[in-house]
């Protein structure tokens, strides 16, 4: 009986987990140089242990992370969706060059497929719908619209929980709004402390929400979805509600909506306050 129990427990421990993918698309153009990219690096470095702990504590899912940087062209910092155990040290990103957002969209589209990072061989129990977090502080310098249209036909992208962070007043918010479905998930940060705080909040909260949301079948590839993904929309609503709760609970953060009714039916959320020791401007 003891042997049978041990055998059962051994089998249970070996049950494959479904992968919860988080994609970071990080603008590393020249305008991000200095405190902006420094704040992003600090936020990612602080975030990894939190996500690792979350992943280890979940019985049926595993968080995996992929990071892309884009400036003049784009490049994956991670060679694939990587387990959080693989991140021993975060190598700081450097900023220079242009803002080739279109190149980033095309590369993401390529990897959001079973021939890319969503290879079933890397996740025998399948995937949850991804979380995609886009950070940018400026204006695209290439043809991003045609690339975005191609990306929007990707079923994984359609099902994903998509969030954008506009860094500073110069960020093109209209471009970022086009890249996400729900404008309530567009955040604007105007200082270093807020950026670090928002990145952590978004990554942790979205991974908790998305791990109970939609999954996409093996044969989805890059084909458009035939029906609206109701569960993904629900995840977006939950994320927006979590942001509103943060407004109420974190009074020192001073979260306020800035989109006027004429600009959008659903207000974006702006973070404008910083940690006490990090309240200086970007310059």
């Amino acid at each position: 009986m003891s042997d049978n129990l041990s055998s059962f427990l051994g089998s249970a421990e070996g049950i494959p987990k479904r992968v919860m993918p988080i994609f970071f698309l990080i603008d590393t153009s020249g305008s991000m140089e200095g405190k902006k990219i420094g704040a992003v690096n600090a936020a990612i470095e602080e975030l990894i242990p939190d996500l690792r702990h979350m992943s280890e504590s979940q019985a049926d899912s595993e968080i995996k992370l992929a990071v892309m940087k884009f400036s003049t062209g784009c490049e994956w910092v991670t060679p694939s969706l990587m387990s959080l155990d693989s991140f021993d040290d975060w190598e700081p990103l450097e900023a220079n060059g242009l803002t080739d957002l279109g190149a980033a969209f095309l590369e993401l589209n390529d990897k959001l497929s079973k021939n890319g990072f969503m290879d079933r061989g890397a996740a025998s129990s399948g995937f949850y719908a991804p979380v995609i977090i886009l950070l940018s502080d400026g204006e695209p310098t290439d043809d991003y619209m045609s690339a975005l249209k191609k990306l929007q036909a990707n079923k994984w992208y359609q099902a994903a929980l998509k969030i954008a962070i506009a860094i500073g007043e110069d960020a093109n918010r209209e471009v970022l709004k086009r890249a996400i479905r729900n404008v309530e998930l567009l955040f604007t940060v105007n200082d270093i402390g807020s950026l670090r705080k928002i990145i952590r909040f978004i990554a942790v909260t979205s991974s908790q929400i998305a791990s109970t949301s939609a999954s996409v079948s093996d044969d989805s590839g890059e084909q458009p979805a035939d029906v609206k993904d109701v569960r993904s929309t629900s995840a977006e609503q939950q994320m927006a509600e979590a942001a509103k709760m943060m407004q109420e609970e974190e009074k020192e953060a001073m979260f306020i909506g800035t989109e006027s009714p004429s600009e959008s039916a659903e207000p974006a959320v702006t973070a404008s306050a910083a940690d006490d020791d990090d309240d200086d401007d970007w310059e």
Side-chain angles (χ1 to χ4, degrees):
M1 182 173 179
S2 176
D3 290 342
N4 290 338
L5 178 60
S6 297
S7 177
F8 172 78
L9 291 175
S11 299
E13 290 173 358
I15 295 175
K17 295 183 177 183
R18 179 171 290 182
V19 172
M20 170 66 256
I22 301 179
F23 289 84
F24 273 98
L25 276 62
I26 301 174
D27 182 349
T28 56
S29 61
S31 57
M32 286 285 292
E33 187 177 13
K35 292 180 179 179
K36 289 181 182 179
I37 197 63
V40 172
N41 282 320
I44 300 292
E45 188 172 17
E46 294 166 1
L47 173 65
I48 288 171
D50 293 334
L51 294 179
R52 183 185 295 122
H53 176 74
M54 283 181 56
S55 184
E56 291 173 349
S57 65
Q58 294 170 347
D60 58 353
S61 62
E62 177 187 8
I63 298 171
K64 289 192 175 184
L65 189 65
V67 180
M68 180 204 297
K69 60 180 181 179
F70 63 94
S71 53
T72 303
C74 62
E75 179 183 352
W76 289 101
V77 178
T78 56
S80 63
L81 276 168
M82 295 179 62
S83 167
L84 276 305
D85 292 335
S86 304
F87 287 90
D88 295 327
D89 295 298
W90 173 252
E91 186 173 342
L93 302 176
E94 297 180 357
N96 58 72
L98 304 176
T99 309
D100 288 347
L101 182 59
F105 285 158
L106 290 176
E107 180 62 23
L108 177 63
N109 179 66
D110 184 60
K111 292 300 185 285
L112 284 177
S113 70
K114 60 186 178 182
N115 296 320
F117 288 178
M118 314 303 283
D119 178 10
R120 187 58 182 266
S124 56
S125 289
F127 296 88
Y128 288 102
V131 173
I132 298 172
I133 303 171
L134 170 63
L135 300 88
S136 182
D137 78 329
E139 182 84 25
T141 51
D142 63 352
D143 178 15
Y144 79 93
M145 275 303 300
S146 61
L148 179 58
K149 287 179 181 178
K150 184 173 183 179
L151 178 60
Q152 287 172 334
N154 184 305
K155 194 170 183 180
W156 282 109
Y157 190 76
Q158 292 174 2
L161 174 55
K162 298 176 283 292
I163 303 164
I165 302 175
I167 304 174
E169 294 298 328
D170 293 335
N172 190 323
R173 293 169 55 81
E174 294 304 314
V175 169
L176 297 178
K177 282 194 287 187
R178 293 187 188 106
I180 60 178
R181 173 164 41 200
N182 187 337
V183 296
E184 288 185 297
L185 301 184
L186 170 60
F187 296 80
T188 299
V189 291
N190 295 318
D191 56 74
I192 297 167
S194 291
L195 179 57
R196 291 170 64 173
K197 195 179 293 185
I198 284 293
I199 290 175
R200 183 182 184 280
F201 165 74
I202 287 173
V204 171
T205 306
S206 63
S207 61
Q208 291 171 332
I209 291 171
S211 64
T212 62
S213 66
S215 57
V216 180
S217 64
D218 242 2
D219 59 357
S220 58
E222 298 177 3
Q223 300 305 312
D226 295 326
V227 295
K228 186 176 181 181
D229 191 325
V230 177
R231 288 170 295 178
S232 181
T233 301
S234 173
E236 291 170 354
Q237 292 171 345
Q238 291 179 60
M239 186 68 202
E241 289 169 4
K244 290 177 182 177
M245 288 180 62
M246 189 179 181
Q247 295 179 37
E248 298 168 359
E249 296 174 359
E250 298 271 336
K251 292 185 178 181
E252 73 277 11
M254 298 288 289
F255 286 102
I256 55 174
T258 60
E259 294 287 342
S260 69
S262 62
E263 291 175 316
S264 171
E266 299 182 56
V269 180
T270 300
S272 58
D275 295 333
D276 292 340
D277 60 348
D278 242 346
D279 58 357
D280 48 343
D281 296 330
W282 301 120
E283 300 303 327

